[in-house]
Each structure stands twice: as structure tokens, then as C-alpha cells.
Amino acid sequence: MNVIITADHAGMTIRNEVKKLLDEMGIEYEDTGCSCETSVDYSDYALPAAERVAKGEFDRGIFICGTGIGMSIAANKVKGIRCALTHDVYSAKLTRQHNDSNILAMGERVIGPGLAREIAKVWLETDFDGGRHERRIGKVTVYEDQQ
Ligand code: RB5
């Protein structure tokens, strides 16, 4: 597995915590996030990173901003992306099992780095269940293809 991680100015602490986790798990990653302390636009980071997941250059993405909302809204505009904004471990597991989410978004102004790390770990370790969930995702994909 390889992962693209990105963050705006409001997500740098969790971004760094998740990078430590990826190092510990031996997962390859590229960090395209903001390296400055000044204000930037989450859309400038989310859209190009989501496109790289959609094209298959990366298996998964982890996107961090203040709330995670801007990153998730932008990422979900990219065809083929299923970005889950997740702030609890249960949802992190279920969004992999049921939604086959390919991007995880989290908000640093909502949760701390310890919980973010647990969420990311479970999300990275959990496989898609397939079956009926495949059919449900397929209906969303058909709709997306018709746009
Ligand atoms: C930045 O202030 C903040 O708006 C951004 O990080 C994110 O929370 C937007 O959804």
C-alpha cells in the first residue's frame, strides 16, 4: 500500500503524527501538505492529491485540515473518490468495511493527535467487506458516471 498525505496550515500537527504512524507501519507515503504557518487554501491541497488517488498513483489518501470538512468536500468532487470525514474509531472501521473509502479526512480542531492516530491505524488496517456493499457503491458510481 502507498498513501498520499496532505494538510493545510490547520492540520500540520495531526499530519506529522500520522506520518510517524505510517513510518512505524512501514507504509510508503508522499506528503504534499503545507509546510508553512501562514494561512493557505485547503482546496489547493485536497484537489491535486485526490486526483492522484483517483488516477491510481496512490492506494489511499489521508487529508487533514481544521475541521476535515473542507478537505472532504473538495476530495469528494473528484471522480472515483470516496472520502470519509471520520472522528471516531468505529466509523473509521466501518467506512472501510462498508464504503471502501479511499481517502480519510480528519480535523485537527476537532480531535487530538492521539485519537487521530488510532483512527488512521484502524482505517489503514481494515479491508472492504464487498458483497452487498459493492452493489451500493456501484449505484453511486453509476450516478457519478452519468454526471
Ligand atoms: C482554515 O481556517 C479552515 O477553514 C480549514 O482548515 C478547514 O477547517 C476548512 O474546512
Side-chain angles (χ1 to χ4, degrees):
M1 185 195 297
N2 65 353
V3 172
I4 185 165
I5 182 163
T6 200
D8 72 1
H9 58 283
M12 293 198 303
T13 301
I14 284 183
R15 182 265 306 270
N16 292 337
E17 187 65 32
V18 171
K19 282 169 68 173
K20 276 192 244 166
L21 172 70
L22 293 168
D23 284 333
E24 287 166 24
M25 293 178 79
I27 295 175
E28 280 181 37
Y29 63 86
E30 182 176 326
D31 174 11
T32 64
C34 169
S35 57
C36 58
E37 298 281 343
T38 57
S39 183
V40 296
D41 299 335
Y42 59 80
S43 31
D44 291 338
Y45 293 86
L47 293 167
E51 281 178 1
R52 293 175 74 184
V53 174
K55 284 178 190 152
E57 189 181 343
F58 292 92
D59 302 308
R60 307 266 196 95
I62 300 179
F63 294 6
I64 318 296
C65 64
T67 60
I69 296 171
M71 285 284 186
S72 61
I73 288 173
N76 278 316
K77 295 293 180 193
V78 176
K79 193 173 174 181
I81 293 303
R82 293 177 300 281
C83 176
L85 172 59
T86 304
H87 288 134
D88 66 277
V89 173
Y90 177 79
S91 301
K93 184 174 183 183
L94 268 289
T95 192
R96 283 292 311 132
Q97 290 179 331
H98 290 193
N99 313 125
D100 197 19
S101 53
N102 48 14
I103 294 179
L104 169 68
M106 295 184 284
E108 184 168 313
R109 293 173 181 166
V110 183
I111 55 170
L115 178 55
R117 180 194 166 90
E118 290 307 306
I119 289 168
K121 188 168 190 294
V122 165
W123 185 77
L124 289 163
E125 288 175 341
T126 305
D127 291 329
F128 178 45
D129 278 353
R132 67 188 187 281
H133 304 297
E134 188 94 58
R135 182 183 71 242
R136 292 163 184 167
I137 289 172
K139 291 181 179 180
V140 177
T141 304
V142 166
Y143 176 83
E144 185 176 51
D145 288 344
Q146 289 166 347
Q147 300 313 299

